[in-house]
Amino acid sequence: MNIKIADLEFEPLISGEAIQARTKEIAAQLNEEYADKAPIFVGVLNGCFMFMADLVKRINVPCEVAFTKLSSYHGGVTTTRRISDDFDLLVDIANRHVILVEDIVDTGHTLDYLVAKLSHRKPASITVCALLLKPDAIEYSIKELKHIAFRIPNEFVVGYGLDYMELGRNLDGIYKRVV
Ligand code: 5GP
């Protein structure tokens, strides 16, 4: 069923059930890969909050959870190159295995910036786990981007943590803009 958020119309793209099934698969891979590594999951707010919660619920190896906040979109439907560092990561990640949890990678500009920034703190490793990737939009080669739940068309999406004008984050699935 199509929905309206503020002035835009959206149609279903990925169901809540499909997200849960895929999250389960990714968690199973991480449980194997990080069995003896006591990883720190670092969520990139605000968009990651649902994915982060559903993912870490399925992690059964010892792990820590922390957050940082960046913004680059500022409410519209097209990405900007301006990144604001709203809330720095407060835990010490030196010699630790970091799993960065992102909602969506569009051009990759934000993720490239964040990986470079965290690398300066000398973690043992950084792996990125992203809910969504727009393969037709990405402009950076980010070797740390290893786990991608869904590849989607280069269109504006909301739901499951992602917003339009701060609305729609509460939706159970992902919806794409009807153009
Ligand atoms: P990038 O720097 O990769 O171009 O953009 C990344 C950020 O832009 C994401 O973390 C997210 O905040 C925002 N973004 C990119 N595409 C979308 C989209 O389709 N929907 C929403 N709601 N945000 C997006």
Side-chain angles (χ1 to χ4, degrees):
M1 198 182 65
N2 287 10
I3 55 170
K4 190 142 195 249
I5 299 180
D7 56 328
L8 299 184
E9 192 182 343
F10 291 86
E11 64 186 18
L13 181 66
I14 306 168
S15 69
E17 292 76 22
I19 294 172
Q20 295 307 320
R22 189 71 188 105
T23 303
K24 215 169 158 180
E25 288 174 2
I26 292 177
Q29 285 171 357
L30 294 174
N31 282 329
E32 275 189 24
E33 286 169 28
Y34 287 85
D36 303 313
K37 293 189 169 157
I40 304 183
F41 285 85
V42 175
V44 188
L45 294 169
N46 289 335
C48 78
F49 78 96
M50 279 210 192
F51 183 44
M52 179 76 151
D54 285 336
L55 185 67
V56 299
K57 272 190 267 184
R58 298 191 162 105
I59 297 299
N60 54 27
V61 302
C63 65
E64 293 177 36
V65 174
F67 293 92
T68 185
K69 186 170 190 305
L70 293 178
S71 41
S72 60
Y73 230 82
H74 306 291
V77 295
T78 53
T79 193
T80 69
R81 301 288 157 144
R82 291 188 315 274
I83 297 176
S84 42
D85 257 301
D86 296 344
F87 176 68
D88 202 2
L89 177 64
L90 298 177
V91 292
D92 183 8
I93 57 167
N95 302 314
R96 301 294 306 272
H97 294 280
V98 172
I99 302 174
L100 262 182
V101 180
E102 264 280 16
D103 53 355
I104 186 163
V105 182
D106 185 348
T107 64
H109 182 63
T110 311
L111 185 58
D112 185 67
Y113 168 88
L114 187 58
V115 168
K117 184 178 148 176
L118 296 185
S119 296
H120 282 122
R121 302 183 187 182
K122 306 276 177 243
S125 68
I126 301 182
T127 292
V128 181
C129 184
L131 174 68
L132 304 172
L133 170 74
K134 296 180 181 173
D136 296 338
I138 194 147
E139 296 171 14
Y140 295 77
S141 165
I142 304 170
K143 66 176 188 326
E144 292 81 2
L145 182 52
K146 291 193 183 133
H147 296 274
I148 297 156
F150 299 97
R151 289 170 171 78
I152 61 167
N154 191 7
E155 293 180 54
F156 184 73
V157 294
V158 294
Y160 196 68
L162 289 146
D163 75 304
Y164 171 54
M165 311 261 281
E166 290 304 324
L167 299 170
R169 295 190 194 275
N170 55 310
L171 296 163
D172 184 44
I174 304 285
Y175 290 72
K176 84 176 167 81
R177 183 183 175 188
V178 176
V179 278

